[in-house]
Amino acid sequence: MPRSFGYDSLSVSSDMPFLGPRQAMDLQEFSRKPKRSTSHTLGELLQRIGDSTTTSPTHPHLQHPSPSVPLLLSFDNLTYSVSAGRSFLPACLTRRTSTNTEKKVLLNDISGEARDGEIMAVLGASGSGKSTLIDALANRIARESLKGSITLNGEAFESKLLKVISAYVMQDDLLFPMLTVEETLMFSAEFRLPRTMPRSRKRSRVQALIDQLGLRSAANTIIGDEGRRGVSGGERRRVSIGTDIIHDPILLFLDEPTSGLDSTSAFMVVKVLQRIAQSGSIVIMSIHQPSYRILKLLDRLIILSRGQTVFSGLPASLPLFFAEHGHPIPPHEDKTEFALDHIRDLEATPGATEDLASLNRTWQMRNNPNRIHQQQKLSLKDAISASISMGKLVSGASNMDSNSVPKYANPFWKEMIVIAQRSFTNSRRAPELFGARFGAVIITGLILATIFWKLDNTPKGVQERLGFFSFAMSTTFYTCAEAIPVFLLQRYIFMRETAYNAYRRWSYVISHAIISIPSLIVLSVAFAATTYFAVGLAGGASGFLFYLTFVFASFWAGNSFVTFLSGIIFNLMMAYTVVVAILAYFVLFSGFFITRDRIPSYWLWFHYASLVKYPYQGVMQNEFEDPLKCFVRGTQVFDGSPLRALPEAVKLNLLKTMSKTLGMNITRTTCLTTGSDILKQTGVTDVDKWSCLWITIALGFFFRVLFYFALLIGSKNKRR
């Protein structure tokens, strides 16, 4: 059966002017129920969701009865300002002047209301405060910075509740480029809808949402990006909206959803929003300048100018308002275009917009004098319960304690699985990044293998081994720099999804770590197999396994370190610069260029903080730990000095002289330097090889923990 949206009747009742007669009768009957039926906690009311969506035709998750639940979002006297004279220098270096403490008012005493079943649009020129007002209503401004009150059905509500019952669609379309439209919405459903809901019902809901958004023809098309052709701009915008309304929120906030779209695409987006509103949601959006067709879809307008309300009311009352202002709108002129152009002209004259704002206040008092006293018949708890009974707000509340508001729809392990599946699917279709890294590792390994081919056990072979180990271990860290764009490209998707509790931050961190391990294993095996046998390193099979483990530990620590930096540095070029610089310092202090006992005491801490130190020491000990293996015999002792050019007979005579002086017999085959001696000479014996391995692995986990705290602090999306 096809859906019908909107109210059943255009007539109104006296005590509820925004409802039709049948709705008023239903709600009056509802309000006459015994007190016992309306005394549930909010958690108990939300728990009804599990049973409220079990029976409905065709598209069971998007079918609601046409009478909507009376919800009223009111905001009064909202005022918000920021410091205009911000400085990038520390406070102790900044001179205290009047400009440093000057405040710029972004919202100035804004009041209004939005009802379910309607679209309220916030209009205005750039810089008028549209996005700021949307952020204020969506609780994206810190409470201590925002003055005024925001209530739902006359009751103040906490941030935790707002995250459950609302959704916020950002101006930018933040989507994974290699996922199809259907996959994008399905992954959103996995995040937003409870685990107890069968996958078949989730898929049915996604299919219904695709139809509602008008995306059927693009369902199997990838989203695309600058390098890959995908869906159109209008389709992309509707997918963005779909990912945030999959759980059917009661409140929907949108920041300029039509920005950058052609008139047809913009109209289709707003038409979708109208259907969402008529299904029982409160839709509040900012829009720069709506076309004539879009204006007909809007129910309420707020026009802002420099943070002040210069008009608030029905779109049909615009001509009457400006006629009273002395500037009537010509009969064939676009109403909003005329209004915005006129307001822009007024902004050029000091005090002119204040006069228009004063006229608006007078207009509001005359036409709606008792707005602030209008209260809904239903309490907030009862209204949310009634919305749930109509199929709204599919948030997994049935799994929560009766005295709590559900925060997340799924347990953490379910979130980790979905995050991993989505990342794997997106990466599998764009293998270029991993392919480039794999190619770099293989090419580097082949170059090292051919340069250091089959090293011997001579003094020169020892020096060449030291150079090989230093370069090989530093390579594992430098090739981890590819992890920088991985999170930076997903950062705003992560912020959007976690802002409204799609999943936990630490679920993302753990999943991000787990899905990186298979690729690190592949890189480790490729690099170790390419270099170990070709260079002729010692230890046999056990030595190779230990070398392979250390290569993997190095990749793990390097990947974790770079991931952490990408969580605190948001600029890609700056992140690359910082990573390369710090890794260079790590190599410098690793112990290869200067041994530990030669490093100045004030820099010794950096030696132990170096990520390259521990893998370098570990593989060195693995190579030279055999005390019976000799690397300098007899006349080879002269190879590191100018005496190496002397004839062999002269060298033997020198050995005889040295034997008499030292009181020991030194021949051509006498072992003078073993592996243990080399380890002592290079100063890599302060930490044993197993401790080096565990420290390297532990550093990887340490930087993952730091990454979590970076996300916890850096992903705060509230204005101050």
Side-chain angles (χ1 to χ4, degrees):
M1 171 186 271
R3 282 268 326 264
S4 63
F5 296 90
Y7 299 117
D8 286 345
S9 174
L10 296 177
S11 61
V12 296
S13 65
S14 59
D15 58 338
M16 285 180 275
F18 58 97
L19 297 176
R22 199 176 86 186
Q23 294 171 281
M25 292 174 62
D26 291 341
L27 294 172
Q28 288 168 356
E29 180 64 26
F30 188 88
S31 64
R32 286 196 294 267
K33 290 182 178 180
K35 182 66 176 180
R36 181 176 56 86
S37 65
T38 60
S39 61
H40 302 289
T41 65
L42 182 55
E44 291 170 337
L45 296 171
L46 292 176
Q47 286 184 3
R48 300 180 185 177
I49 184 174
D51 301 327
S52 64
T53 58
T54 56
T55 58
S56 53
T58 310
H59 290 319
H61 311 292
L62 293 175
Q63 299 285 341
H64 307 309
S66 56
S68 59
V69 175
L71 290 165
L72 177 66
L73 178 70
S74 301
F75 48 97
D76 297 287
N77 311 116
L78 297 184
T79 301
Y80 173 63
S81 59
V82 296
S83 298
R86 294 180 177 177
S87 173
F88 294 99
L89 296 176
C92 59
L93 301 179
T94 306
R95 294 182 60 187
R96 293 184 178 274
T97 63
S98 59
T99 58
N100 288 336
T101 58
E102 182 181 351
K103 294 287 186 178
K104 179 180 180 180
V105 178
L106 301 183
L107 297 179
N108 186 7
D109 199 30
I110 305 294
S111 299
E113 61 184 25
R115 304 173 185 273
D116 65 296
E118 297 181 349
I119 300 179
M120 187 184 80
V122 183
L123 281 66
S126 298
S128 61
K130 302 188 302 298
S131 296
T132 305
L133 178 57
I134 297 295
D135 285 348
L137 297 178
N139 194 39
R140 293 167 64 89
I141 298 178
R143 289 293 188 186
E144 59 270 18
S145 302
L146 180 67
K147 298 179 181 178
S149 64
I150 303 174
T151 61
L152 186 59
N153 278 32
E155 301 179 27
F157 48 90
E158 297 180 356
S159 171
K160 181 172 63 173
L161 172 62
L162 184 63
K163 288 185 177 183
V164 173
I165 67 174
S166 67
Y168 183 95
V169 180
M170 296 181 178
Q171 185 172 347
D172 298 321
D173 299 320
L174 307 173
L175 303 167
F176 283 87
M178 299 311 298
L179 300 181
T180 66
V181 170
E182 183 175 348
E183 289 171 339
T184 300
L185 295 176
M186 192 63 202
F187 279 120
S188 181
E190 294 286 0
F191 284 129
R192 299 281 189 174
L193 305 183
R195 182 174 60 93
T196 54
M197 178 181 288
R199 185 174 179 82
S200 59
R201 289 184 59 198
K202 293 179 182 178
R203 188 170 298 279
S204 174
R205 183 176 181 82
V206 168
Q207 296 302 321
L209 186 59
I210 289 174
D211 291 333
Q212 185 187 23
L213 296 173
L215 294 170
R216 177 55 59 191
S217 61
N220 296 316
T221 305
I222 64 169
I223 301 299
D225 55 15
E226 294 82 359
R228 301 173 181 83
R229 186 175 180 85
V231 297
S232 66
E235 290 169 335
R236 182 191 296 264
R237 186 61 47 85
R238 280 176 274 158
V239 174
S240 294
I241 295 172
T243 58
D244 286 306
I245 67 168
I246 191 70
H247 62 303
D248 215 353
I250 294 175
L251 294 172
L252 179 60
F253 304 99
L254 305 101
D255 186 13
E256 299 203 23
T258 62
S259 177
L261 302 181
D262 58 80
S263 59
T264 302
S265 298
F267 175 77
M268 293 179 65
V269 167
V270 180
K271 189 68 177 176
V272 167
L273 296 179
Q274 184 189 51
R275 291 198 293 266
I276 295 170
Q278 292 175 340
S279 70
S281 297
I282 298 176
V283 177
I284 303 175
M285 59 180 283
S286 60
I287 186 169
H288 185 69
Q289 186 166 318
S291 65
Y292 173 76
R293 291 198 302 165
I294 290 178
L295 185 63
K296 294 173 64 177
L297 303 178
L298 306 179
D299 299 288
R300 293 176 184 269
L301 298 181
I302 291 182
I303 302 180
L304 300 181
S305 173
R306 295 178 178 175
Q308 296 186 96
T309 305
V310 293
F311 174 79
S312 178
L314 304 177
S317 62
L318 265 175
L320 185 60
F321 176 80
F322 279 94
E324 186 169 322
H325 179 58
H327 293 81
I329 300 176
H332 301 292
E333 187 85 12
D334 184 280
K335 291 184 287 187
T336 55
E337 183 177 354
F338 175 88
L340 293 174
D341 289 345
H342 177 64
I343 292 169
R344 191 175 295 110
D345 293 338
L346 292 178
E347 290 176 346
T349 304
T353 54
E354 284 77 2
D355 293 340
L356 191 59
S358 177
L359 174 63
N360 176 67
R361 287 191 292 270
T362 303
W363 171 278
Q364 294 299 321
M365 290 298 296
R366 185 171 66 248
N367 292 278
N368 197 8
N370 298 317
R371 183 193 69 82
I372 196 170
H373 302 294
Q374 294 177 1
Q375 300 295 336
Q376 302 304 88
K377 292 294 184 180
L378 296 181
S379 67
L380 177 57
K381 295 179 181 180
D382 292 335
I384 293 177
S385 175
S387 293
I388 292 174
S389 68
M390 292 166 52
K392 305 289 289 183
L393 201 62
V394 185
S395 59
S398 58
N399 295 329
M400 305 301 294
D401 182 78
S402 61
N403 294 320
S404 66
V405 176
K407 191 171 184 180
Y408 299 99
N410 293 286
F412 76 93
W413 59 266
K414 175 66 174 177
E415 296 171 350
M416 291 194 308
I417 291 174
V418 177
I419 293 171
Q421 288 176 338
R422 183 176 65 176
S423 297
F424 177 76
T425 303
N426 188 69
S427 301
R428 179 171 53 85
R429 294 175 183 166
E432 299 87 357
L433 193 60
F434 176 76
R437 188 181 181 188
F438 182 80
V441 168
I442 289 293
I443 291 174
T444 303
L446 291 175
I447 291 174
L448 291 175
T450 53
I451 290 178
F452 298 99
W453 180 263
K454 298 298 182 182
L455 298 179
D456 54 26
N457 294 332
T458 64
K460 287 185 178 180
V462 171
Q463 292 300 318
E464 289 165 352
R465 276 178 170 82
L466 298 182
F468 167 76
F469 286 134
S470 175
F471 192 88
M473 292 301 102
S474 60
T475 295
T476 61
F477 286 92
Y478 276 109
T479 54
C480 290
E482 62 85 26
I484 295 175
V486 172
F487 176 70
L488 288 182
L489 294 175
Q490 299 178 9
R491 177 174 178 267
Y492 290 103
I493 299 178
F494 166 83
M495 291 179 62
R496 185 201 72 195
E497 292 176 333
T498 55
Y500 285 83
N501 299 339
Y503 48 79
R504 298 163 181 83
R505 290 177 176 85
W506 57 279
S507 296
Y508 179 86
V509 172
I510 297 176
S511 179
H512 188 277
I514 292 175
I515 61 178
S516 69
I517 291 177
S519 63
L520 297 183
I521 292 176
V522 172
L523 295 175
S524 301
V525 172
F527 186 76
T530 305
T531 57
Y532 184 86
F533 300 103
V535 175
L537 301 180
S542 61
F544 172 74
L545 291 177
F546 191 85
Y547 176 73
L548 171 62
T549 305
F550 247 116
V551 171
F552 171 76
S554 301
F555 275 122
W556 162 251
N559 184 271
S560 299
F561 172 70
V562 172
T563 299
F564 160 65
L565 288 183
S566 69
I568 60 176
I569 304 175
F570 307 142
N571 182 278
L572 183 61
M573 295 308 299
M574 184 182 295
Y576 271 120
T577 302
V578 172
V579 166
V580 171
I582 295 179
L583 289 179
Y585 302 149
F586 284 163
V587 174
L588 175 63
F589 287 96
S590 64
F592 170 72
F593 295 100
I594 181 171
T595 58
R596 176 173 52 86
D597 59 328
R598 299 285 296 173
I599 297 177
S601 58
Y602 48 82
W603 281 119
L604 199 58
W605 65 271
F606 212 134
H607 170 69
Y608 286 99
S610 171
L611 292 180
V612 184
K613 164 187 166 63
Y614 302 101
Y616 173 68
Q617 287 194 190
V619 293
M620 282 280 290
Q621 293 179 29
N622 187 55
E623 180 69 15
F624 296 109
E625 66 181 350
D626 187 356
L628 301 179
K629 195 170 185 178
C630 187
F631 291 92
V632 179
R633 293 181 182 274
T635 56
Q636 290 179 340
V637 73
F638 303 116
D639 288 356
S641 70
L643 299 178
R644 68 180 180 277
L646 295 175
E648 188 69 15
V650 175
K651 292 181 182 179
L652 290 174
N653 289 332
L654 288 175
L655 287 179
K656 293 179 181 179
T657 304
M658 293 172 60
S659 298
K660 294 178 181 179
T661 303
L662 298 174
M664 58 181 295
N665 185 27
I666 304 176
T667 66
R668 179 180 297 178
T669 60
T670 301
C671 183
L672 300 178
T673 303
T674 64
S676 300
D677 297 325
I678 293 174
L679 293 178
K680 293 177 182 177
Q681 292 170 11
T682 54
V684 295
T685 58
D686 56 319
V687 184
D688 66 85
K689 70 175 187 179
W690 287 105
S691 296
C692 287
L693 177 61
W694 297 124
I695 289 174
T696 304
I697 295 174
L699 285 172
F701 284 103
F702 173 70
F703 285 113
R704 292 289 173 175
V705 173
L706 291 184
F707 179 52
Y708 167 75
F709 284 107
L711 297 184
L712 191 63
I713 298 172
S715 62
K716 301 290 186 182
N717 57 1
K718 286 190 177 184
R719 305 193 197 187
R720 294 292 177 183

mmCIF file of all heavy atoms in Angstrom, residues 24-49:
data_model
loop_
_atom_site.group_PDB
_atom_site.id
_atom_site.type_symbol
_atom_site.label_atom_id
_atom_site.label_comp_id
_atom_site.label_asym_id
_atom_site.label_seq_id
_atom_site.Cartn_x
_atom_site.Cartn_y
_atom_site.Cartn_z
ATOM 1 N N ALA A 24 -6.416 15.717 17.132
ATOM 2 C CA ALA A 24 -6.748 16.318 18.423
ATOM 3 C C ALA A 24 -7.544 15.362 19.284
ATOM 4 O O ALA A 24 -7.304 15.235 20.491
ATOM 5 C CB ALA A 24 -7.544 17.610 18.194
ATOM 6 N N MET A 25 -8.506 14.652 18.672
ATOM 7 C CA MET A 25 -9.301 13.684 19.435
ATOM 8 C C MET A 25 -8.417 12.556 19.957
ATOM 9 O O MET A 25 -8.538 12.138 21.117
ATOM 10 C CB MET A 25 -10.419 13.125 18.548
ATOM 11 C CG MET A 25 -11.494 14.156 18.191
ATOM 12 S SD MET A 25 -12.689 13.485 17.010
ATOM 13 C CE MET A 25 -13.380 12.146 17.973
ATOM 14 N N ASP A 26 -7.498 12.083 19.098
ATOM 15 C CA ASP A 26 -6.611 11.008 19.538
ATOM 16 C C ASP A 26 -5.769 11.441 20.720
ATOM 17 O O ASP A 26 -5.605 10.701 21.697
ATOM 18 C CB ASP A 26 -5.689 10.580 18.382
ATOM 19 C CG ASP A 26 -6.457 9.875 17.270
ATOM 20 O OD1 ASP A 26 -7.580 9.415 17.551
ATOM 21 O OD2 ASP A 26 -5.923 9.800 16.147
ATOM 22 N N LEU A 27 -5.241 12.663 20.622
ATOM 23 C CA LEU A 27 -4.353 13.111 21.688
ATOM 24 C C LEU A 27 -5.114 13.467 22.957
ATOM 25 O O LEU A 27 -4.619 13.290 24.069
ATOM 26 C CB LEU A 27 -3.542 14.311 21.197
ATOM 27 C CG LEU A 27 -2.559 13.948 20.067
ATOM 28 C CD1 LEU A 27 -1.947 15.208 19.496
ATOM 29 C CD2 LEU A 27 -1.501 13.005 20.595
ATOM 30 N N GLN A 28 -6.334 13.989 22.801
ATOM 31 C CA GLN A 28 -7.138 14.262 23.981
ATOM 32 C C GLN A 28 -7.472 12.967 24.697
ATOM 33 O O GLN A 28 -7.435 12.875 25.927
ATOM 34 C CB GLN A 28 -8.421 15.002 23.577
ATOM 35 C CG GLN A 28 -8.155 16.458 23.156
ATOM 36 C CD GLN A 28 -9.363 17.079 22.493
ATOM 37 O OE1 GLN A 28 -10.375 16.408 22.276
ATOM 38 N NE2 GLN A 28 -9.272 18.360 22.181
ATOM 39 N N GLU A 29 -7.791 11.928 23.904
ATOM 40 C CA GLU A 29 -8.064 10.625 24.511
ATOM 41 C C GLU A 29 -6.817 10.087 25.194
ATOM 42 O O GLU A 29 -6.861 9.540 26.285
ATOM 43 C CB GLU A 29 -8.536 9.652 23.419
ATOM 44 C CG GLU A 29 -8.853 8.235 23.935
ATOM 45 C CD GLU A 29 -10.020 8.217 24.902
ATOM 46 O OE1 GLU A 29 -10.880 9.135 24.819
ATOM 47 O OE2 GLU A 29 -10.065 7.321 25.749
ATOM 48 N N PHE A 30 -5.664 10.288 24.535
ATOM 49 C CA PHE A 30 -4.402 9.815 25.104
ATOM 50 C C PHE A 30 -4.100 10.512 26.424
ATOM 51 O O PHE A 30 -3.644 9.910 27.381
ATOM 52 C CB PHE A 30 -3.270 10.078 24.096
ATOM 53 C CG PHE A 30 -1.966 9.462 24.477
ATOM 54 C CD1 PHE A 30 -1.682 8.162 24.099
ATOM 55 C CD2 PHE A 30 -1.028 10.174 25.198
ATOM 56 C CE1 PHE A 30 -0.473 7.585 24.438
ATOM 57 C CE2 PHE A 30 0.164 9.599 25.552
ATOM 58 C CZ PHE A 30 0.447 8.306 25.160
ATOM 59 N N SER A 31 -4.390 11.821 26.474
ATOM 60 C CA SER A 31 -4.094 12.573 27.688
ATOM 61 C C SER A 31 -5.036 12.240 28.826
ATOM 62 O O SER A 31 -4.764 12.550 29.982
ATOM 63 C CB SER A 31 -4.159 14.085 27.393
ATOM 64 O OG SER A 31 -5.476 14.435 27.027
ATOM 65 N N ARG A 32 -6.207 11.593 28.514
ATOM 66 C CA ARG A 32 -7.156 11.250 29.581
ATOM 67 C C ARG A 32 -6.879 9.879 30.183
ATOM 68 O O ARG A 32 -7.598 9.434 31.070
ATOM 69 C CB ARG A 32 -8.581 11.275 29.014
ATOM 70 C CG ARG A 32 -9.112 12.686 28.767
ATOM 71 C CD ARG A 32 -10.622 12.667 28.580
ATOM 72 N NE ARG A 32 -11.000 11.968 27.376
ATOM 73 C CZ ARG A 32 -11.198 12.570 26.209
ATOM 74 N NH1 ARG A 32 -11.022 13.882 26.106
ATOM 75 N NH2 ARG A 32 -11.560 11.881 25.144
ATOM 76 N N LYS A 33 -5.807 9.201 29.705
ATOM 77 C CA LYS A 33 -5.491 7.899 30.270
ATOM 78 C C LYS A 33 -5.075 8.056 31.719
ATOM 79 O O LYS A 33 -4.620 9.122 32.137
ATOM 80 C CB LYS A 33 -4.357 7.245 29.472
ATOM 81 C CG LYS A 33 -4.793 6.815 28.074
ATOM 82 C CD LYS A 33 -3.661 6.132 27.353
ATOM 83 C CE LYS A 33 -4.102 5.666 25.978
ATOM 84 N NZ LYS A 33 -3.031 4.995 25.256
ATOM 85 N N PRO A 34 -5.205 6.980 32.526
ATOM 86 C CA PRO A 34 -4.831 7.068 33.924
ATOM 87 C C PRO A 34 -3.377 7.472 34.069
ATOM 88 O O PRO A 34 -2.542 7.207 33.214
ATOM 89 C CB PRO A 34 -5.066 5.638 34.447
ATOM 90 C CG PRO A 34 -6.022 5.031 33.492
ATOM 91 C CD PRO A 34 -5.784 5.668 32.184
ATOM 92 N N LYS A 35 -3.095 8.078 35.190
ATOM 93 C CA LYS A 35 -1.757 8.591 35.451
ATOM 94 C C LYS A 35 -0.710 7.488 35.375
ATOM 95 O O LYS A 35 0.419 7.698 34.950
ATOM 96 C CB LYS A 35 -1.730 9.247 36.842
ATOM 97 C CG LYS A 35 -0.391 9.877 37.221
ATOM 98 C CD LYS A 35 -0.103 11.041 36.328
ATOM 99 C CE LYS A 35 1.178 11.744 36.741
ATOM 100 N NZ LYS A 35 1.497 12.866 35.925
ATOM 101 N N ARG A 36 -1.084 6.291 35.762
ATOM 102 C CA ARG A 36 -0.146 5.180 35.782
ATOM 103 C C ARG A 36 0.456 4.932 34.404
ATOM 104 O O ARG A 36 1.602 4.554 34.270
ATOM 105 C CB ARG A 36 -0.865 3.921 36.270
ATOM 106 C CG ARG A 36 0.035 2.693 36.353
ATOM 107 C CD ARG A 36 -0.740 1.525 36.946
ATOM 108 N NE ARG A 36 -1.944 1.258 36.172
ATOM 109 C CZ ARG A 36 -1.960 0.486 35.100
ATOM 110 N NH1 ARG A 36 -0.854 -0.050 34.663
ATOM 111 N NH2 ARG A 36 -3.102 0.264 34.456
ATOM 112 N N SER A 37 -0.310 5.158 33.366
ATOM 113 C CA SER A 37 0.168 4.862 32.016
ATOM 114 C C SER A 37 1.121 5.911 31.493
ATOM 115 O O SER A 37 1.733 5.729 30.467
ATOM 116 C CB SER A 37 -1.023 4.742 31.053
ATOM 117 O OG SER A 37 -1.678 5.992 30.944
ATOM 118 N N THR A 38 1.255 7.029 32.147
ATOM 119 C CA THR A 38 2.135 8.078 31.659
ATOM 120 C C THR A 38 3.278 8.350 32.612
ATOM 121 O O THR A 38 3.906 9.380 32.536
ATOM 122 C CB THR A 38 1.331 9.380 31.455
ATOM 123 O OG1 THR A 38 0.770 9.762 32.722
ATOM 124 C CG2 THR A 38 0.237 9.193 30.446
ATOM 125 N N SER A 39 3.569 7.419 33.494
ATOM 126 C CA SER A 39 4.610 7.658 34.480
ATOM 127 C C SER A 39 5.858 6.830 34.222
ATOM 128 O O SER A 39 6.660 6.626 35.105
ATOM 129 C CB SER A 39 4.068 7.339 35.882
ATOM 130 O OG SER A 39 3.680 5.981 35.965
ATOM 131 N N HIS A 40 6.009 6.319 33.004
ATOM 132 C CA HIS A 40 7.172 5.503 32.704
ATOM 133 C C HIS A 40 8.424 6.367 32.661
ATOM 134 O O HIS A 40 8.375 7.546 32.350
ATOM 135 C CB HIS A 40 7.010 4.817 31.335
ATOM 136 C CG HIS A 40 5.780 3.952 31.259
ATOM 137 N ND1 HIS A 40 5.678 2.773 31.947
ATOM 138 C CD2 HIS A 40 4.615 4.111 30.571
ATOM 139 C CE1 HIS A 40 4.499 2.224 31.685
ATOM 140 N NE2 HIS A 40 3.850 3.026 30.857
ATOM 141 N N THR A 41 9.571 5.738 32.938
ATOM 142 C CA THR A 41 10.841 6.416 32.697
ATOM 143 C C THR A 41 11.082 6.476 31.198
ATOM 144 O O THR A 41 10.489 5.727 30.426
ATOM 145 C CB THR A 41 11.992 5.651 33.366
ATOM 146 O OG1 THR A 41 12.117 4.378 32.735
ATOM 147 C CG2 THR A 41 11.756 5.477 34.850
ATOM 148 N N LEU A 42 11.997 7.355 30.816
ATOM 149 C CA LEU A 42 12.274 7.499 29.391
ATOM 150 C C LEU A 42 12.858 6.220 28.818
ATOM 151 O O LEU A 42 12.559 5.829 27.690
ATOM 152 C CB LEU A 42 13.251 8.662 29.172
ATOM 153 C CG LEU A 42 13.605 8.982 27.727
ATOM 154 C CD1 LEU A 42 12.346 9.223 26.930
ATOM 155 C CD2 LEU A 42 14.535 10.173 27.675
ATOM 156 N N GLY A 43 13.691 5.544 29.603
ATOM 157 C CA GLY A 43 14.245 4.283 29.127
ATOM 158 C C GLY A 43 13.161 3.268 28.841
ATOM 159 O O GLY A 43 13.198 2.546 27.849
ATOM 160 N N GLU A 44 12.133 3.198 29.720
ATOM 161 C CA GLU A 44 11.031 2.258 29.507
ATOM 162 C C GLU A 44 10.246 2.615 28.259
ATOM 163 O O GLU A 44 9.809 1.746 27.501
ATOM 164 C CB GLU A 44 10.121 2.248 30.734
ATOM 165 C CG GLU A 44 10.780 1.613 31.970
ATOM 166 C CD GLU A 44 9.954 1.840 33.209
ATOM 167 O OE1 GLU A 44 9.162 2.808 33.210
ATOM 168 O OE2 GLU A 44 10.082 1.073 34.167
ATOM 169 N N LEU A 45 10.082 3.916 28.056
ATOM 170 C CA LEU A 45 9.341 4.340 26.865
ATOM 171 C C LEU A 45 10.107 3.986 25.605
ATOM 172 O O LEU A 45 9.542 3.529 24.609
ATOM 173 C CB LEU A 45 9.095 5.850 26.929
ATOM 174 C CG LEU A 45 8.210 6.304 28.093
ATOM 175 C CD1 LEU A 45 8.218 7.815 28.187
ATOM 176 C CD2 LEU A 45 6.794 5.803 27.895
ATOM 177 N N LEU A 46 11.428 4.201 25.637
ATOM 178 C CA LEU A 46 12.228 3.891 24.464
ATOM 179 C C LEU A 46 12.296 2.397 24.200
ATOM 180 O O LEU A 46 12.514 1.958 23.076
ATOM 181 C CB LEU A 46 13.642 4.454 24.646
ATOM 182 C CG LEU A 46 13.745 5.979 24.645
ATOM 183 C CD1 LEU A 46 15.174 6.402 24.926
ATOM 184 C CD2 LEU A 46 13.281 6.556 23.325
ATOM 185 N N GLN A 47 12.104 1.590 25.245
ATOM 186 C CA GLN A 47 12.186 0.154 25.069
ATOM 187 C C GLN A 47 11.065 -0.405 24.198
ATOM 188 O O GLN A 47 11.133 -1.525 23.729
ATOM 189 C CB GLN A 47 12.162 -0.559 26.427
ATOM 190 C CG GLN A 47 13.483 -0.421 27.177
ATOM 191 C CD GLN A 47 13.471 -1.208 28.451
ATOM 192 O OE1 GLN A 47 12.496 -1.893 28.743
ATOM 193 N NE2 GLN A 47 14.536 -1.120 29.209
ATOM 194 N N ARG A 48 10.025 0.354 23.977
ATOM 195 C CA ARG A 48 8.913 -0.145 23.172
ATOM 196 C C ARG A 48 9.264 -0.285 21.700
ATOM 197 O O ARG A 48 8.500 -0.823 20.923
ATOM 198 C CB ARG A 48 7.713 0.802 23.309
ATOM 199 C CG ARG A 48 7.227 0.933 24.753
ATOM 200 C CD ARG A 48 6.049 1.874 24.819
ATOM 201 N NE ARG A 48 5.635 2.105 26.193
ATOM 202 C CZ ARG A 48 4.660 2.936 26.543
ATOM 203 N NH1 ARG A 48 4.012 3.602 25.598
ATOM 204 N NH2 ARG A 48 4.348 3.111 27.795
ATOM 205 N N ILE A 49 10.447 0.212 21.348
ATOM 206 C CA ILE A 49 10.810 0.186 19.929
ATOM 207 C C ILE A 49 10.852 -1.222 19.365
ATOM 208 O O ILE A 49 10.550 -1.465 18.208
ATOM 209 C CB ILE A 49 12.170 0.870 19.724
ATOM 210 C CG1 ILE A 49 12.497 0.937 18.260
ATOM 211 C CG2 ILE A 49 13.258 0.141 20.461
ATOM 212 C CD1 ILE A 49 13.724 1.704 17.973
#
